[in-house]
Amino acid sequence: MMLAGLLSCAAGIASAEVTVRFVDAERYADVGASDAERGRNLTVLERHLRMAMAQCVAEDERLTVTVREVDLAGDIDWSRSSAVELRVLREVSWPRIELEYALIDAGGQTVVQGREQVSDMNYLAHSARARSARETLPYERLMLENWAASRLCRPPR
C-alpha cells in the first residue's frame, strides 16, 4: 500500500536523532479521504512533529515518537460532490493525535517518556494564526508545537 513507505521514517536534525513512526496508519480515524491525501498528510505530520520537537532535543540526545492515532481538525463533508473534498471545521471536531515518546540522553538514560493523546479543543481560537500560515495542517502544527514546548523542552541549564 502507498502508506507502507511512510510507516517508518528516521532522520537527523543537527546531530540529534529523531525517529517518527506511524503504526497502523490505515486504521487512523481521519488522515484524509483518499490514499494520496493520507500519504501527503502523514508526510506533513511527520515534518510538523520533527520541527516541533527539534527545538527540544539536544545534539547528543535521541527522541523516538510513535504515532498511534490521528484525527485531523474538522470533518469531511460527504454531502458535497465527491469530486471536491471539503473539510468543515467545527468546535466539536478538534485535532487529536495519540503518540508515545521517549527522549534518551547521551548516557542512555531516559529523560522523559510517555503515551498521550495530544489535542486542542480550542483550535478555532487560533484560526487567524493558522490561516495566515498558508500551509497544510496548520492547526495540527500549532497543537504539536504547544505540546512539545510543554512536555519535552526543558529550561536551559
Side-chain angles (χ1 to χ4, degrees):
M1 183 171 196
M2 188 170 134
L3 297 177
L6 297 171
L7 296 179
S8 180
C9 303
I13 296 177
S15 45
E17 182 183 337
V18 178
T19 303
V20 177
R21 292 184 330 124
F22 295 94
V23 176
D24 295 328
E26 56 280 345
R27 295 183 183 189
Y28 291 167
D30 176 18
V31 182
S34 67
D35 282 345
E37 184 186 16
R38 285 189 287 275
R40 281 190 304 272
N41 287 341
L42 288 175
T43 299
V44 170
L45 282 174
E46 179 186 357
R47 184 176 66 238
H48 288 339
L49 281 161
R50 288 184 190 286
M51 290 176 66
M53 296 177 184
Q55 301 169 24
C56 305
V57 180
E59 291 182 13
D60 59 349
E61 295 177 326
R62 292 175 301 154
L63 175 67
T64 58
V65 180
T66 302
V67 179
R68 301 265 175 211
E69 177 64 85
V70 175
D71 190 356
L72 299 177
D75 291 314
I76 298 170
D77 184 353
W78 295 104
S79 67
R80 308 282 181 199
S81 165
S82 62
V84 177
E85 181 177 313
L86 178 64
R87 184 167 289 273
V88 179
L89 304 176
R90 296 185 178 102
E91 289 179 1
V92 297
S93 59
W94 59 86
R96 295 182 294 272
I97 299 175
E98 183 181 337
L99 47 80
E100 292 179 34
Y101 57 95
L103 181 61
I104 311 297
D105 68 16
Q109 298 296 312
T110 301
V111 176
V112 64
Q113 69 178 20
R115 182 173 181 159
E116 297 185 39
Q117 180 170 293
V118 181
S119 63
D120 183 2
M121 293 175 71
N122 295 315
Y123 79 105
L124 290 175
H126 313 296
S127 62
R129 183 174 164 208
R131 278 195 309 266
S132 67
R134 299 188 190 271
E135 64 183 329
T136 305
L137 307 179
Y139 299 102
E140 290 75 7
R141 179 186 55 80
L142 290 170
M143 175 183 73
L144 291 167
E145 286 175 354
N146 291 335
W147 176 83
S150 69
R151 288 292 194 273
L152 297 178
C153 293
R154 299 164 313 277
R157 296 176 204 168

